[in-house]
Amino acid sequence: EAGVAQSPRYKIIEKRQSVAFWCNPISGHATLYWYQQILGQGPKLLIQFQNNGVVDDSQLPKDRFSAERLKGVDSTLKIQPAKLEDSAVYLCASSSTGTVSYEQYFGPGTRLTVT
Amino acid sequence: GDSVTQMEGPVTLSEEAFLTINCTYTATGYPSLFWYVQYPGEGLQLLLKATKADDKGSNKGFEATYRKETTSFHLEKGSVQVSDSAVYFCALSAGTLTFGKGTMLLVSP
């Protein structure tokens, strides 16, 4: 079974530029998550999708971050414009349901450096 | 709000030593508790979980017991290997996952 795929793996941009990350979850997984992991900290949930609807985006900085999950499969996370403090690893995860105890499967992440 | 506190690392051990990584949590209600592991260059992997008080999660020689009275979920392993070197995250879920800051484990031969 293929795991969660993310691209690109690394990205370096200057502040005020825009960037987009892509995630392909495990086939059949209805729930998709985007996390931000700043160096030395644990991952922080940015947004959760159930199929193509948003379940929780309370911690997403909506003035600069946006995410979509068209057709309930792949997802894209965008930052526009980027700030220095957005430097982090962006993790995508998926699970078969949204039930609290169900395992989330994580992708390898995209490491973003904003200079 | 919900929070998880882990012991700071790095934890440095020799092979075959006993491992304990402390984790305590603050949450309303009765969350599920998890340990995730992140090997260098890889994504997080679920190591073990416990969904109710007194449950013991175990996997690959690692164990953790859900202690409601002390709000703890300490990770233990009787004999660590070099291949266990990684960052370990304690997490709780009462709807969404809340992670601790992670503890790096370094095991030397």
Side-chain angles (χ1 to χ4, degrees):
Chain A
E1 176 182 79
V4 176
Q6 290 188 246
S7 68
R9 291 294 307 275
Y10 305 92
K11 189 75 177 178
I12 301 174
I13 62 172
E14 295 182 351
K15 59 184 179 184
R16 291 188 289 274
Q17 287 186 325
S18 62
V19 65
F21 313 126
W22 173 82
C23 173
N24 185 20
I26 292 174
S27 178
H29 280 193
T31 309
L32 185 147
Y33 312 79
W34 282 103
Y35 291 85
Q36 180 191 58
Q37 185 179 12
I38 293 173
L39 185 65
Q41 299 183 19
K44 182 185 80 172
L45 179 69
L46 293 176
I47 189 167
Q48 177 184 346
F49 292 95
Q50 181 80 12
N51 296 308
N52 61 350
V54 174
V55 174
D56 183 352
D57 64 356
S58 58
Q59 298 197 80
L60 187 73
K62 298 180 187 63
D63 57 334
R64 298 183 301 105
F65 286 65
S66 64
E68 61 183 7
R69 192 183 184 198
L70 300 177
K71 302 180 182 178
V73 182
D74 294 6
S75 178
T76 303
L77 176 70
K78 297 179 181 178
I79 307 175
Q80 181 180 6
K83 293 185 175 182
L84 294 176
E85 59 261 36
D86 298 332
S87 293
V89 176
Y90 291 85
L91 297 167
C92 179
S94 69
S95 66
S96 58
T97 75
T99 305
V100 298
S101 63
Y102 274 70
E103 177 176 355
Q104 294 184 26
Y105 294 83
F106 284 80
T110 297
R111 182 177 298 278
L112 173 68
T113 302
V114 183
T115 62
Chain B
D2 297 346
S3 66
V4 175
T5 303
Q6 295 180 232
M7 61 187 292
E8 290 200 17
V11 173
T12 304
L13 296 172
S14 297
E15 206 164 27
E16 300 183 2
F18 184 85
L19 168 70
T20 300
I21 300 178
N22 291 335
C23 170
T24 57
Y25 68 90
T26 302
T28 55
Y30 303 98
S32 295
L33 301 175
F34 306 84
W35 277 100
Y36 280 82
V37 59
Q38 187 172 34
Y39 298 102
E42 298 183 16
L44 279 79
Q45 303 172 26
L46 180 66
L47 181 59
L48 53 85
K49 67 182 180 185
T51 58
K52 61 182 186 297
D54 299 325
D55 268 3
K56 177 185 283 189
S58 61
N59 185 26
K60 300 181 181 180
F62 291 89
E63 293 182 340
T65 301
Y66 190 145
R67 301 286 188 199
K68 182 170 176 289
E69 63 277 12
T70 55
T71 62
S72 65
F73 193 55
H74 305 320
L75 181 68
E76 296 183 336
K77 187 176 185 182
S79 177
V80 294
Q81 305 300 312
V82 172
S83 57
D84 293 328
S85 298
V87 181
Y88 292 81
F89 291 90
C90 185
L92 66 82
S93 180
T96 58
L97 274 174
T98 298
F99 287 89
K101 290 186 175 183
T103 302
M104 179 178 289
L105 170 64
L106 299 171
V107 182
S108 57

